[in-house]
Structures are given as C-alpha cells and as structure tokens.
Amino acid sequence: EAMDQMLLPEMLKTTGNLNSNWKMYKQQLQIYMVATALNAAPDERKIGILLLAAGQQAIDIYNTFTYGDNEDKTSFQVIMAKFDEHCKSQSNEIMERFNLRNRFQKNGETISNFMERPLGGALVCIKGEASSKSHGADARLWKTLQH
C-alpha cells in the first residue's frame, strides 16, 4: 500500500535547542502516524517506530529513562512524556536569552509585523529568578560574539 511506503520523519536533532527540535520531531511523527494509520497500532509498534525514526541518539536518551511504580514503560504515551520531560530540561536557556536579546526590527518592518514575527524558539518561560551565574554566562557569550 502507498501509505506504508511514506518516508519516516527525519531523525531527532540532538544538537542546538533540543526542546525545540523535539517539538518539531514530535509533530512530524504524529503526522506520519496519522497519515499511515499507525496511530491505532499497538503501543509496542509505535514505540519501535518512534525510536527507529528518531535515531541512535534518541535511543541513547530512551535508555536513560527511569520509571515510577505507576508508570508503564510499554506505554507510548508514557515514553512520549519521558521525551517531553527530558528535552524540556535540556533547553539552552543562555542561548535562548541571547536570541531574544538579539531580535531586532527589520528595516521597513512595521511594529505590528515585528511583534507578530515568530521568535524561533527564543521565547521560553523561565521559571523563577535567573541566577547571577546564568547572567555571567550570558555576559561571556555576549562579549565573545561582540568581538
């Protein structure tokens, strides 16, 4: 059947902003699962497709997951939640702030268009107060890129 011949989503990129990359990969995987009618497949098969498509680095991440007594490690939803949790914790906060601070209005761009333009992963809700350590890292990155 033609649907079975569809290309798998590209591998999960584990460099750069892992959280953003995971969200993009997850969306592609969900579209693939619907398009190939695999969203109704058994969880074991969906986990296999997830890991096969995501690649070896994602398998390495998967192998680090720990499970609580009430978590079913054969549940596709549990595995997806584990990837969500892992990738969210790996977002590059310093680089995100740098990208946000270096977002400028383009020549001739209206304020309205500037405010509506996607931030490309730069808008991240950072809970709590930023530490002086993170501000120091920001300053070092800023100075490095200024020269």
Side-chain angles (χ1 to χ4, degrees), residues 41-98:
D43 279 7
E44 185 177 68
R45 184 167 184 204
K46 291 193 281 190
I47 293 168
I49 291 166
L50 160 69
L51 296 174
L52 174 68
Q56 185 59 50
Q57 291 178 320
I59 293 171
D60 293 342
I61 292 169
Y62 168 80
N63 289 334
T64 68
F65 294 159
T66 57
Y67 303 89
D69 292 337
N70 296 329
E71 290 180 309
D72 180 1
K73 63 182 176 183
T74 64
S75 163
F76 181 71
Q77 291 304 321
V78 168
I79 301 303
M80 293 297 280
K82 292 286 182 182
F83 270 104
D84 286 341
E85 182 182 313
H86 174 83
C87 294
K88 185 176 182 180
S89 72
Q90 300 298 314
S91 71
N92 189 338
E93 186 179 317
I94 295 166
M95 198 61 177
E96 304 248 351
R97 284 196 303 267
F98 174 79

Side-chain angles (χ1 to χ4, degrees), residues 104-109:
F104 298 102
Q105 185 177 1
K106 294 178 182 174
N107 202 8
E109 182 178 31

